[in-house]
Amino acid sequence: MVRHFRRDDDITPAEQQHIIDLAIAMKADPYSHKPLAGPKSVALFFDKPSTRTRVSFSVGVADLGGNPLIIHAGESQLGEKESIADTARVLDRMVAAIVWRTFLQTDIDEMADHSNVPVINSLSNSFHPCQLLADLISIHEHKGSLNGLTVAFVGDGSSNMANSYLLAGAMSGMHVRVATPSAYQPLADARATATRIASETGGSVLVTDDVAEAVSGADIVVTDTWISMGQESEKERRITDFAGYGVTADVMSRAHAQALFLHCLPAYRGYEVDADVIDGPQSIVWDQAENRLHAQKALLHFLLTAS
Ligand code: CP
Ligand code: NVA
């Protein structure tokens, strides 16, 4: 049966560990796996801007022996003129996988429902699961393991990144704490599912409005923009609402002395993170960005060989 990666919990904890291990092996030997030899093509749809995702998927598909096809919003019939279902039925006759960055999670689910090739969510309003694989690889590289670590997400708890941290972090056996204003809660489904997964992996889930509670003794501190793509009209209100939820040197000082700082980027210095944190010695954001490439190559290899 075809496997998709619509959200972080489309894989099992064992599969997540396998993808992490494979990514680390492929990072050491980048041209060793060629599941797209032919070359087979992968369709990369972007309804929102991207630097890291666009480049890492393009390079990754080429590294795997394949051909990346980048399709921007407005360049295909998808949307106004042609349904998601019909698009999926056409594409899966020609490409080995479909990668889609868009707004609604339900649209990605619909594409997957009608596709006979893997559909990968490369960011929706609700989840950013490819980013989480890169984050977990980065943490694993620097800490040696994931299980039992404490990660504190500080900022917009309603963001795709917070929802994905809950699911993927719990799946890896981490203790996931989210500090967010009470009006910006994670998806109820993500929180409940993460809590269930954590009960099986030994992790845990905490959502609080208290930054100090979340970061106290944490091994990893992570944040994301307060203004996600599509929320630009809410900028002023969000900057007011998230006051006190930025990652400053004082916030980092409450975490473990060896704590790592992560950010999926792009970052807005002086808002969700201060420059001395993201550009300081605890930050691993450049490793994290590079690991998008290795994570997605391993993910594609897994989905293409599992399907
Ligand atoms: N982190 C991330 O997804 O970056 P891009 O928006 O540049 O792809
Ligand atoms: N939450 C951010 C992530 C950017 C990679 C957004 O959706 O814009």
mmCIF file of all heavy atoms in Angstrom, residues 270-302:
data_model
loop_
_atom_site.group_PDB
_atom_site.id
_atom_site.type_symbol
_atom_site.label_atom_id
_atom_site.label_comp_id
_atom_site.label_asym_id
_atom_site.label_seq_id
_atom_site.Cartn_x
_atom_site.Cartn_y
_atom_site.Cartn_z
ATOM 1 N N GLY A 270 15.112 39.837 17.292
ATOM 2 C CA GLY A 270 14.485 40.899 18.070
ATOM 3 C C GLY A 270 13.018 40.638 18.342
ATOM 4 O O GLY A 270 12.393 41.367 19.117
ATOM 5 N N TYR A 271 12.465 39.634 17.698
ATOM 6 C CA TYR A 271 11.071 39.246 17.956
ATOM 7 C C TYR A 271 11.083 37.874 18.663
ATOM 8 O O TYR A 271 11.289 37.817 19.861
ATOM 9 C CB TYR A 271 10.261 39.231 16.657
ATOM 10 C CG TYR A 271 10.092 40.630 16.095
ATOM 11 C CD1 TYR A 271 10.980 41.128 15.150
ATOM 12 C CD2 TYR A 271 9.078 41.464 16.558
ATOM 13 C CE1 TYR A 271 10.849 42.423 14.661
ATOM 14 C CE2 TYR A 271 8.932 42.751 16.079
ATOM 15 C CZ TYR A 271 9.812 43.229 15.133
ATOM 16 O OH TYR A 271 9.685 44.502 14.671
ATOM 17 N N GLU A 272 10.906 36.782 17.902
ATOM 18 C CA GLU A 272 10.821 35.477 18.580
ATOM 19 C C GLU A 272 12.168 35.014 19.133
ATOM 20 O O GLU A 272 12.210 34.117 19.971
ATOM 21 C CB GLU A 272 10.213 34.420 17.648
ATOM 22 C CG GLU A 272 11.139 33.862 16.581
ATOM 23 C CD GLU A 272 11.168 34.702 15.311
ATOM 24 O OE1 GLU A 272 10.591 35.792 15.318
ATOM 25 O OE2 GLU A 272 11.767 34.239 14.317
ATOM 26 N N VAL A 273 13.272 35.594 18.646
ATOM 27 C CA VAL A 273 14.598 35.229 19.175
ATOM 28 C C VAL A 273 15.517 36.438 19.088
ATOM 29 O O VAL A 273 15.458 37.209 18.122
ATOM 30 C CB VAL A 273 15.208 34.030 18.406
ATOM 31 C CG1 VAL A 273 15.394 34.334 16.924
ATOM 32 C CG2 VAL A 273 16.529 33.592 19.036
ATOM 33 N N ASP A 274 16.379 36.556 20.094
ATOM 34 C CA ASP A 274 17.363 37.638 20.062
ATOM 35 C C ASP A 274 18.591 37.193 19.272
ATOM 36 O O ASP A 274 18.932 35.995 19.221
ATOM 37 C CB ASP A 274 17.765 38.032 21.490
ATOM 38 C CG ASP A 274 16.737 38.967 22.124
ATOM 39 O OD1 ASP A 274 15.762 39.335 21.427
ATOM 40 O OD2 ASP A 274 16.914 39.321 23.302
ATOM 41 N N ALA A 275 19.285 38.171 18.697
ATOM 42 C CA ALA A 275 20.456 37.875 17.859
ATOM 43 C C ALA A 275 21.532 37.135 18.645
ATOM 44 O O ALA A 275 22.181 36.230 18.110
ATOM 45 C CB ALA A 275 21.008 39.167 17.270
ATOM 46 N N ASP A 276 21.715 37.512 19.929
ATOM 47 C CA ASP A 276 22.800 36.850 20.672
ATOM 48 C C ASP A 276 22.496 35.384 20.966
ATOM 49 O O ASP A 276 23.398 34.608 21.265
ATOM 50 C CB ASP A 276 23.160 37.616 21.956
ATOM 51 C CG ASP A 276 21.977 37.862 22.872
ATOM 52 O OD1 ASP A 276 20.830 37.560 22.479
ATOM 53 O OD2 ASP A 276 22.189 38.363 23.997
ATOM 54 N N VAL A 277 21.237 34.969 20.838
ATOM 55 C CA VAL A 277 20.892 33.551 20.995
ATOM 56 C C VAL A 277 21.061 32.812 19.661
ATOM 57 O O VAL A 277 21.809 31.835 19.573
ATOM 58 C CB VAL A 277 19.450 33.381 21.515
ATOM 59 C CG1 VAL A 277 19.047 31.904 21.525
ATOM 60 C CG2 VAL A 277 19.324 33.980 22.913
ATOM 61 N N ILE A 278 20.408 33.293 18.620
ATOM 62 C CA ILE A 278 20.461 32.549 17.342
ATOM 63 C C ILE A 278 21.862 32.576 16.733
ATOM 64 O O ILE A 278 22.255 31.628 16.040
ATOM 65 C CB ILE A 278 19.395 33.068 16.346
ATOM 66 C CG1 ILE A 278 19.267 32.101 15.165
ATOM 67 C CG2 ILE A 278 19.686 34.477 15.865
ATOM 68 C CD1 ILE A 278 18.062 32.350 14.283
ATOM 69 N N ASP A 279 22.615 33.641 17.007
ATOM 70 C CA ASP A 279 23.980 33.734 16.474
ATOM 71 C C ASP A 279 25.021 33.334 17.526
ATOM 72 O O ASP A 279 26.219 33.534 17.322
ATOM 73 C CB ASP A 279 24.251 35.163 15.977
ATOM 74 C CG ASP A 279 23.295 35.563 14.860
ATOM 75 O OD1 ASP A 279 23.024 34.714 13.984
ATOM 76 O OD2 ASP A 279 22.796 36.703 14.872
ATOM 77 N N GLY A 280 24.572 32.773 18.632
ATOM 78 C CA GLY A 280 25.468 32.422 19.735
ATOM 79 C C GLY A 280 25.881 30.957 19.718
ATOM 80 O O GLY A 280 25.478 30.177 18.844
ATOM 81 N N PRO A 281 26.685 30.549 20.703
ATOM 82 C CA PRO A 281 27.297 29.206 20.697
ATOM 83 C C PRO A 281 26.322 28.051 20.910
ATOM 84 O O PRO A 281 26.657 26.914 20.556
ATOM 85 C CB PRO A 281 28.308 29.286 21.858
ATOM 86 C CG PRO A 281 27.818 30.399 22.728
ATOM 87 C CD PRO A 281 27.157 31.382 21.825
ATOM 88 N N GLN A 282 25.150 28.304 21.474
ATOM 89 C CA GLN A 282 24.205 27.197 21.702
ATOM 90 C C GLN A 282 23.320 26.929 20.483
ATOM 91 O O GLN A 282 22.605 25.935 20.429
ATOM 92 C CB GLN A 282 23.330 27.508 22.921
ATOM 93 C CG GLN A 282 24.105 27.450 24.239
ATOM 94 C CD GLN A 282 23.293 28.009 25.395
ATOM 95 O OE1 GLN A 282 23.245 29.221 25.613
ATOM 96 N NE2 GLN A 282 22.672 27.136 26.151
ATOM 97 N N SER A 283 23.373 27.797 19.501
ATOM 98 C CA SER A 283 22.515 27.673 18.325
ATOM 99 C C SER A 283 23.069 26.648 17.341
ATOM 100 O O SER A 283 24.255 26.665 17.018
ATOM 101 C CB SER A 283 22.411 29.033 17.634
ATOM 102 O OG SER A 283 21.747 28.906 16.398
ATOM 103 N N ILE A 284 22.191 25.775 16.854
ATOM 104 C CA ILE A 284 22.600 24.798 15.822
ATOM 105 C C ILE A 284 21.732 24.976 14.571
ATOM 106 O O ILE A 284 21.484 24.035 13.831
ATOM 107 C CB ILE A 284 22.550 23.349 16.342
ATOM 108 C CG1 ILE A 284 21.135 22.943 16.790
ATOM 109 C CG2 ILE A 284 23.562 23.142 17.471
ATOM 110 C CD1 ILE A 284 20.955 21.428 16.960
ATOM 111 N N VAL A 285 21.279 26.213 14.319
ATOM 112 C CA VAL A 285 20.304 26.425 13.254
ATOM 113 C C VAL A 285 20.864 26.144 11.859
ATOM 114 O O VAL A 285 20.101 25.777 10.959
ATOM 115 C CB VAL A 285 19.689 27.842 13.296
ATOM 116 C CG1 VAL A 285 18.932 28.051 14.593
ATOM 117 C CG2 VAL A 285 20.729 28.925 13.087
ATOM 118 N N TRP A 286 22.178 26.266 11.664
ATOM 119 C CA TRP A 286 22.716 26.019 10.313
ATOM 120 C C TRP A 286 22.828 24.523 10.055
ATOM 121 O O TRP A 286 22.567 24.054 8.935
ATOM 122 C CB TRP A 286 24.044 26.759 10.116
ATOM 123 C CG TRP A 286 23.926 28.189 10.571
ATOM 124 C CD1 TRP A 286 24.636 28.802 11.545
ATOM 125 C CD2 TRP A 286 22.967 29.171 10.094
ATOM 126 N NE1 TRP A 286 24.194 30.101 11.719
ATOM 127 C CE2 TRP A 286 23.186 30.356 10.839
ATOM 128 C CE3 TRP A 286 21.968 29.166 9.128
ATOM 129 C CZ2 TRP A 286 22.424 31.513 10.656
ATOM 130 C CZ3 TRP A 286 21.217 30.325 8.939
ATOM 131 C CH2 TRP A 286 21.450 31.473 9.680
ATOM 132 N N ASP A 287 23.195 23.755 11.092
ATOM 133 C CA ASP A 287 23.139 22.281 10.963
ATOM 134 C C ASP A 287 21.707 21.843 10.683
ATOM 135 O O ASP A 287 21.447 20.961 9.851
ATOM 136 C CB ASP A 287 23.606 21.605 12.261
ATOM 137 C CG ASP A 287 25.092 21.773 12.505
ATOM 138 O OD1 ASP A 287 25.828 22.086 11.559
ATOM 139 O OD2 ASP A 287 25.516 21.598 13.676
ATOM 140 N N GLN A 288 20.793 22.463 11.414
ATOM 141 C CA GLN A 288 19.368 22.144 11.288
ATOM 142 C C GLN A 288 18.895 22.397 9.853
ATOM 143 O O GLN A 288 18.192 21.568 9.256
ATOM 144 C CB GLN A 288 18.611 23.017 12.277
ATOM 145 C CG GLN A 288 17.136 22.822 12.385
ATOM 146 C CD GLN A 288 16.498 23.881 13.292
ATOM 147 O OE1 GLN A 288 17.185 24.743 13.868
ATOM 148 N NE2 GLN A 288 15.194 23.826 13.415
ATOM 149 N N ALA A 289 19.289 23.532 9.278
ATOM 150 C CA ALA A 289 18.887 23.840 7.902
ATOM 151 C C ALA A 289 19.485 22.825 6.928
ATOM 152 O O ALA A 289 18.790 22.305 6.040
ATOM 153 C CB ALA A 289 19.327 25.257 7.544
ATOM 154 N N GLU A 290 20.765 22.504 7.094
ATOM 155 C CA GLU A 290 21.391 21.522 6.196
ATOM 156 C C GLU A 290 20.695 20.165 6.289
ATOM 157 O O GLU A 290 20.524 19.465 5.282
ATOM 158 C CB GLU A 290 22.879 21.336 6.546
ATOM 159 C CG GLU A 290 23.529 20.289 5.633
ATOM 160 C CD GLU A 290 24.901 19.814 6.067
ATOM 161 O OE1 GLU A 290 25.619 20.562 6.755
ATOM 162 O OE2 GLU A 290 25.242 18.667 5.696
ATOM 163 N N ASN A 291 20.280 19.821 7.494
ATOM 164 C CA ASN A 291 19.690 18.493 7.689
ATOM 165 C C ASN A 291 18.335 18.333 7.014
ATOM 166 O O ASN A 291 17.845 17.209 6.887
ATOM 167 C CB ASN A 291 19.641 18.160 9.176
ATOM 168 C CG ASN A 291 21.003 17.751 9.690
ATOM 169 O OD1 ASN A 291 21.835 17.230 8.931
ATOM 170 N ND2 ASN A 291 21.266 17.973 10.977
ATOM 171 N N ARG A 292 17.726 19.430 6.557
ATOM 172 C CA ARG A 292 16.528 19.272 5.727
ATOM 173 C C ARG A 292 16.840 18.372 4.525
ATOM 174 O O ARG A 292 16.037 17.521 4.145
ATOM 175 C CB ARG A 292 16.026 20.643 5.232
ATOM 176 C CG ARG A 292 15.471 21.548 6.328
ATOM 177 C CD ARG A 292 14.188 21.001 6.932
ATOM 178 N NE ARG A 292 13.165 20.761 5.938
ATOM 179 C CZ ARG A 292 12.348 21.701 5.446
ATOM 180 N NH1 ARG A 292 12.428 22.933 5.884
ATOM 181 N NH2 ARG A 292 11.422 21.381 4.557
ATOM 182 N N LEU A 293 18.003 18.598 3.920
ATOM 183 C CA LEU A 293 18.401 17.816 2.745
ATOM 184 C C LEU A 293 18.493 16.327 3.082
ATOM 185 O O LEU A 293 17.884 15.481 2.409
ATOM 186 C CB LEU A 293 19.751 18.339 2.236
ATOM 187 C CG LEU A 293 20.455 17.498 1.166
ATOM 188 C CD1 LEU A 293 19.632 17.444 -0.113
ATOM 189 C CD2 LEU A 293 21.850 18.071 0.882
ATOM 190 N N HIS A 294 19.243 16.011 4.112
ATOM 191 C CA HIS A 294 19.472 14.600 4.447
ATOM 192 C C HIS A 294 18.184 13.936 4.946
ATOM 193 O O HIS A 294 17.908 12.773 4.634
ATOM 194 C CB HIS A 294 20.592 14.506 5.472
ATOM 195 C CG HIS A 294 21.789 15.318 5.082
ATOM 196 N ND1 HIS A 294 22.509 15.069 3.928
ATOM 197 C CD2 HIS A 294 22.360 16.414 5.656
ATOM 198 C CE1 HIS A 294 23.494 15.966 3.813
ATOM 199 N NE2 HIS A 294 23.417 16.787 4.854
ATOM 200 N N ALA A 295 17.402 14.673 5.711
ATOM 201 C CA ALA A 295 16.142 14.125 6.235
ATOM 202 C C ALA A 295 15.194 13.753 5.099
ATOM 203 O O ALA A 295 14.601 12.666 5.099
ATOM 204 C CB ALA A 295 15.475 15.164 7.140
ATOM 205 N N GLN A 296 15.055 14.633 4.130
ATOM 206 C CA GLN A 296 14.082 14.397 3.059
ATOM 207 C C GLN A 296 14.556 13.326 2.082
ATOM 208 O O GLN A 296 13.738 12.601 1.504
ATOM 209 C CB GLN A 296 13.753 15.718 2.372
ATOM 210 C CG GLN A 296 12.941 16.611 3.291
ATOM 211 C CD GLN A 296 13.094 18.076 3.066
ATOM 212 O OE1 GLN A 296 12.698 18.869 3.905
ATOM 213 N NE2 GLN A 296 13.683 18.482 1.957
ATOM 214 N N LYS A 297 15.873 13.220 1.895
ATOM 215 C CA LYS A 297 16.378 12.112 1.076
ATOM 216 C C LYS A 297 16.032 10.777 1.737
ATOM 217 O O LYS A 297 15.579 9.841 1.076
ATOM 218 C CB LYS A 297 17.892 12.244 0.885
ATOM 219 C CG LYS A 297 18.276 13.350 -0.081
ATOM 220 C CD LYS A 297 19.763 13.617 -0.076
ATOM 221 C CE LYS A 297 20.586 12.468 -0.627
ATOM 222 N NZ LYS A 297 22.028 12.815 -0.639
ATOM 223 N N ALA A 298 16.254 10.711 3.051
ATOM 224 C CA ALA A 298 15.923 9.471 3.768
ATOM 225 C C ALA A 298 14.422 9.224 3.752
ATOM 226 O O ALA A 298 13.967 8.076 3.583
ATOM 227 C CB ALA A 298 16.442 9.547 5.203
ATOM 228 N N LEU A 299 13.634 10.271 3.919
ATOM 229 C CA LEU A 299 12.170 10.124 3.881
ATOM 230 C C LEU A 299 11.716 9.611 2.521
ATOM 231 O O LEU A 299 10.907 8.670 2.431
ATOM 232 C CB LEU A 299 11.510 11.474 4.182
ATOM 233 C CG LEU A 299 9.992 11.511 4.023
ATOM 234 C CD1 LEU A 299 9.301 10.657 5.085
ATOM 235 C CD2 LEU A 299 9.475 12.950 4.074
ATOM 236 N N LEU A 300 12.215 10.227 1.449
ATOM 237 C CA LEU A 300 11.841 9.780 0.098
ATOM 238 C C LEU A 300 12.248 8.321 -0.100
ATOM 239 O O LEU A 300 11.475 7.520 -0.644
ATOM 240 C CB LEU A 300 12.513 10.666 -0.959
ATOM 241 C CG LEU A 300 11.808 11.988 -1.251
ATOM 242 C CD1 LEU A 300 12.738 12.933 -2.004
ATOM 243 C CD2 LEU A 300 10.519 11.758 -2.053
ATOM 244 N N HIS A 301 13.455 7.967 0.330
ATOM 245 C CA HIS A 301 13.915 6.578 0.172
ATOM 246 C C HIS A 301 12.967 5.641 0.911
ATOM 247 O O HIS A 301 12.557 4.608 0.375
ATOM 248 C CB HIS A 301 15.330 6.444 0.696
ATOM 249 C CG HIS A 301 15.950 5.117 0.382
ATOM 250 N ND1 HIS A 301 15.675 3.975 1.100
ATOM 251 C CD2 HIS A 301 16.787 4.740 -0.608
ATOM 252 C CE1 HIS A 301 16.332 2.962 0.568
ATOM 253 N NE2 HIS A 301 17.005 3.397 -0.462
ATOM 254 N N PHE A 302 12.616 6.011 2.135
ATOM 255 C CA PHE A 302 11.722 5.172 2.929
ATOM 256 C C PHE A 302 10.364 5.015 2.240
ATOM 257 O O PHE A 302 9.853 3.902 2.082
ATOM 258 C CB PHE A 302 11.530 5.777 4.327
ATOM 259 C CG PHE A 302 10.419 5.149 5.103
ATOM 260 C CD1 PHE A 302 10.565 3.899 5.676
ATOM 261 C CD2 PHE A 302 9.197 5.807 5.241
ATOM 262 C CE1 PHE A 302 9.504 3.302 6.369
ATOM 263 C CE2 PHE A 302 8.153 5.221 5.923
ATOM 264 C CZ PHE A 302 8.313 3.955 6.488
#
